[in-house]
Amino acid sequence: MSKNKSLALQLRPETNEIKLAKTKEYIKYTPIQRGNVIPEERIIEIIDEEIDPFDPPKFKYQKVVARQVVEPVPILHAPPKKATKEEMEEWKIPPCISNWKNKNGYTIALDKRVAADGRHLEQTEIGERHAEFAEALYLAEKASAEENAKKVEMKRKVEMAKKEKNEEEMRKLAMAMRKLREEEEVGEVDEGRERRDQAREERRKDREEFYRKAGYKGLQKDMERERKRDVAESIALGKKVDSKDLMFDQRLFNQESGVTSGFGDEDDYNVYDKNLFNPETRQYRPKDEKDE
């Protein structure tokens, strides 16, 4: 606890320094009794706080300027003149008309609505910089399109050159393979032709040997056997049949036996020609009581 009191200034003659005189005060303090415990008395020493005289003031003092009584300067106005019709139209403010609400249901003319909208007050102006900006965008887009076209053309040429190179390589490879295959086929054809000629010569020699041993009668017998050979055997052996009537085996046209023999008429609705089981033997008969 501190308390501000009056300060006494003392001036030392030797140093001419200003010294603040300190004042002390002692107070006997007895706290309030709380509960059964008796409090003890205390002695409190109160000392004034040291204050530096060179500190700036804590409070700001404002000086009130004395009020000067001066007469106001007169403002001169031109004499009023009557407004013209054009000025009145310019200063005319249209009434507030809502485009959404019409609570009383008034009929409002279109020119009044347009006037209240304020569209005639707006003036659309397009500056020169807008045209310059549009022209710059157009030139940039044109240059970009030309550059893209050049890139696409260059890419197409590179792909075409690569494709032609691949086709040329494939053509050379195909020609080499075809040449090799032709050489192999020529060798195989020559070998097969020699084998066929040799087999044909051997069969001719065997036939001449057979006819020489059998004579004219053996030749006639062989021709008769070939003539009487069945058509089916001739077709199976791959021989040519000259007769048009004997193109098929006549035994295939036998109508006396087959699926249709012994079957019902066309009008009958019978899926089967006879029963699967004999009805006399398979028929169920209940037993009589006498038999039991």
Side-chain angles (χ1 to χ4, degrees), residues 55-73:
D55 286 343
K58 294 182 180 180
F59 303 99
K60 185 177 181 181
Y61 299 97
Q62 296 181 356
K63 294 182 179 181
V64 179
V65 181
R67 183 177 180 183
Q68 297 180 0
V69 179
V70 180
E71 294 182 359
V73 179

Side-chain angles (χ1 to χ4, degrees), residues 3-18:
K3 185 177 180 182
N4 294 330
K5 291 189 175 182
S6 60
L7 302 177
L9 298 179
Q10 295 180 359
L11 182 62
R12 292 184 181 181
E14 296 86 2
T15 59
N16 295 329
E17 293 180 356
I18 298 174

Side-chain angles (χ1 to χ4, degrees), residues 166-200:
N166 294 337
E167 289 180 356
E168 187 66 24
E169 292 178 357
M170 294 296 293
R171 191 181 297 108
K172 291 181 180 179
L173 183 61
M175 291 178 65
M177 293 297 294
R178 189 181 296 111
K179 187 176 181 181
L180 181 61
R181 191 181 300 111
E182 287 177 358
E183 292 177 357
E184 293 177 356
E185 288 179 356
V186 168
E188 292 177 358
V189 167
D190 294 341
E191 293 177 0
R193 184 179 299 173
E194 291 178 359
R195 288 197 300 270
R196 289 194 298 274
D197 293 343
Q198 186 176 0
R200 192 178 296 109

Side-chain angles (χ1 to χ4, degrees), residues 232-276:
E233 294 180 4
S234 300
I235 294 173
L237 294 174
K239 294 184 178 182
K240 184 178 179 181
V241 181
D242 296 333
S243 178
K244 295 182 180 180
D245 298 334
L246 300 177
M247 291 181 65
F248 303 99
D249 192 356
Q250 297 297 326
R251 290 176 297 177
L252 299 176
F253 299 99
N254 186 11
Q255 301 293 336
E256 296 178 358
S257 61
V259 179
T260 58
S261 63
F263 208 70
D265 297 335
E266 295 180 358
D267 299 337
D268 296 341
Y269 189 72
N270 296 327
V271 181
Y272 305 102
D273 56 348
K274 59 182 179 179
N275 296 329
L276 181 62

Side-chain angles (χ1 to χ4, degrees), residues 1-9 12 18-24 46-56 58:
M1 184 176 181
S2 62
K3 185 177 180 182
N4 294 330
K5 291 189 175 182
S6 60
L7 302 177
L9 298 179
R12 292 184 181 181
I18 298 174
K19 184 179 179 182
L20 297 176
K22 296 182 180 180
T23 58
K24 294 182 180 181
I46 299 174
I47 303 174
D48 295 338
E49 183 182 1
E50 295 183 359
I51 299 174
D52 190 357
F54 295 101
D55 286 343
K58 294 182 180 180

Side-chain angles (χ1 to χ4, degrees), residues 2 17 26 63 81 99 113 121 141 160 211 223 290:
S2 62
E17 293 180 356
Y26 296 94
K63 294 182 179 181
K81 60 180 180 179
N99 290 328
R113 287 189 179 275
L121 301 176
E141 185 179 0
M160 287 293 294
Y211 289 150
M223 292 175 65
K290 297 179 180 181

